[in-house]
Amino acid sequence: MDITEIVVEGDTPGISWRLPVFHFKGSAPGTPKIYIQAALHANELPGTALLHFLCQKLQQADAGGTILGDITVVPQANPIGAGQWLFGGMEGRFDLGTRTNFNRDFPLISIRDRDSLVEGLDRYRAPDRLKRQLIHMALGADLVLDLHCDDEALQYAYIDEAFWPEASDLAAALDMDAVLLSDGESSAFEEAVSFAWKYAVPGEKRTHFSDKLSVTVELRGQRDVYPDMARSDAEGLWRFLAARGIVLDDTAQLSEFTGPAAPLDNIEMIRAPQSGIVLFHRTIGERVAAGDLLATIITRPGMADGSIDIHAPQAGLIVTRISDRLVHRRGDLMKIASDKPSAAGRKPGTLED
């Protein structure tokens, strides 16, 4: 194992951030290379806990000579966000300087232009320099995993349709409850990686890959940071590495993924029609039928007409739910994975900002 460090100089005097990067050298040329990062949204920590335990297993494997493919691990990918606290709370998701999502606005380039990402870095602000160096590292691999989590959620992933169904082995290894099939039409990290591969020949779009993978893994909710859970997830990711031939472990076995794989058009985004106090009647992991009562929002406490009931627009599986109980108008409440496209429709790209 080799540990290097990326130093991101701040935009004001006297400030810099240090980013440790763990490298495990594979012994078998031609084996897939994998890049794994966590906490790009700095307040999403289940992935960091997972990688802590995975690195322990990889160190043992490295000593035993059973790492076949190159593995790069970045346990905390966003030291800038990790240092941005406001009134005792870490923001983590948005840069306080620009309000830009740390997982948006990654450069959309062809893989042939990879080296241009790290040329002339002084022209960019610190968060953009960090983004360019992260995606430059990722584009040196064949498989890219970006570990996130939701608010309250099942174990699920966003996987570009270009990598499906081959990526079902990852869903099985991590015992995912659902897969959301994305369209690759955003500037989020995993979609910027897949964009570079799709447009390896500029102007020509490749639509399917069996030898590549770029995915956002949602490791349940923000509070799901427990030792047994992190170890279990690390074992799951280890099984995936073994299944792809990156580590040697003949005992690692995968079952089949049996959960739903729903296109983003089939996701019902349940939003609050008005601000108020939300009372949930259903929770994550439950299947609902069309018309089922999902939540009540108390909009004017004490008034006879001071509440609103929210019902399921169609049947499906509740994949996520917010943890806040005071919501604003049009605030997201739930995601429901359904069998049919939502009547609400959506623009190409991500479900949320």
Side-chain angles (χ1 to χ4, degrees), residues 108-341:
L108 300 178
I109 63 160
S110 168
I111 186 64
R112 64 169 59 188
D113 298 320
R114 177 191 173 211
D115 288 342
S116 69
L117 290 166
V118 290
E119 294 173 355
L121 284 176
D122 288 345
R123 293 178 294 160
Y124 303 96
R125 295 181 61 253
D128 293 317
R129 275 182 272 129
L130 173 65
K131 290 178 180 180
R132 297 179 80 87
Q133 291 180 88
L134 289 175
I135 197 169
H136 180 266
M137 284 192 292
L139 287 174
D142 304 295
L143 312 174
V144 176
L145 307 183
D146 190 16
L147 306 184
H148 288 254
C149 70
D150 213 297
D151 199 349
E152 294 177 0
L154 302 177
Q155 189 99 309
Y156 74 102
Y158 291 99
I159 301 179
D160 192 315
E161 293 174 337
F163 307 116
W164 193 258
E166 288 83 357
S168 61
D169 59 347
L170 176 64
L174 284 170
D175 197 22
M176 292 181 187
D177 298 287
V179 166
L180 308 189
L181 297 174
S182 62
D183 53 20
E185 295 295 325
S186 84
S187 60
F189 178 83
E190 51 103 355
E191 294 191 339
V193 170
S194 62
F195 183 97
W197 294 334
K198 290 176 181 178
Y199 292 96
V201 178
E204 296 181 16
K205 182 178 180 180
R206 186 174 169 186
T207 59
H208 189 77
F209 298 84
S210 59
D211 57 343
K212 300 283 190 182
L213 176 62
S214 180
V215 56
T216 293
V217 177
E218 301 284 357
L219 296 163
R220 306 179 192 87
Q222 282 190 301
R223 292 187 175 89
D224 291 323
V225 187
Y226 301 99
D228 291 346
M229 190 174 284
R231 287 191 182 95
S232 177
D233 289 339
E235 290 289 344
L237 196 45
W238 174 268
R239 289 193 295 272
F240 172 72
L241 296 178
R244 290 291 179 115
I246 299 169
V247 299
L248 182 61
D249 185 352
D250 294 334
T251 67
Q253 300 293 324
L254 286 186
S255 58
E256 288 190 22
F257 172 65
T258 59
L264 295 193
D265 286 346
N266 290 24
I267 305 303
E268 294 287 359
M269 296 296 295
I270 308 302
R271 294 187 169 92
Q274 294 186 33
S275 62
I277 301 165
V278 60
L279 310 175
F280 284 113
H281 299 281
R282 307 300 292 264
T283 189
I284 57 172
E286 293 184 352
R287 293 190 173 273
V288 296
D292 281 355
L293 179 62
L294 301 176
T296 298
I297 297 180
I298 301 174
T299 57
R300 297 190 299 159
M303 300 293 183
D305 59 350
S307 66
I308 300 171
D309 287 338
I310 298 174
H311 299 269
Q314 64 168 312
L317 173 69
I318 300 176
V319 178
T320 75
R321 192 177 77 171
I322 63 162
S323 60
D324 291 338
R325 295 300 183 263
L326 181 63
V327 298
H328 57 81
R329 188 189 302 271
R330 300 299 296 163
D332 296 333
L333 301 177
M334 290 177 168
K335 298 185 191 78
I336 300 177
S338 304
D339 293 332
K340 302 175 183 177

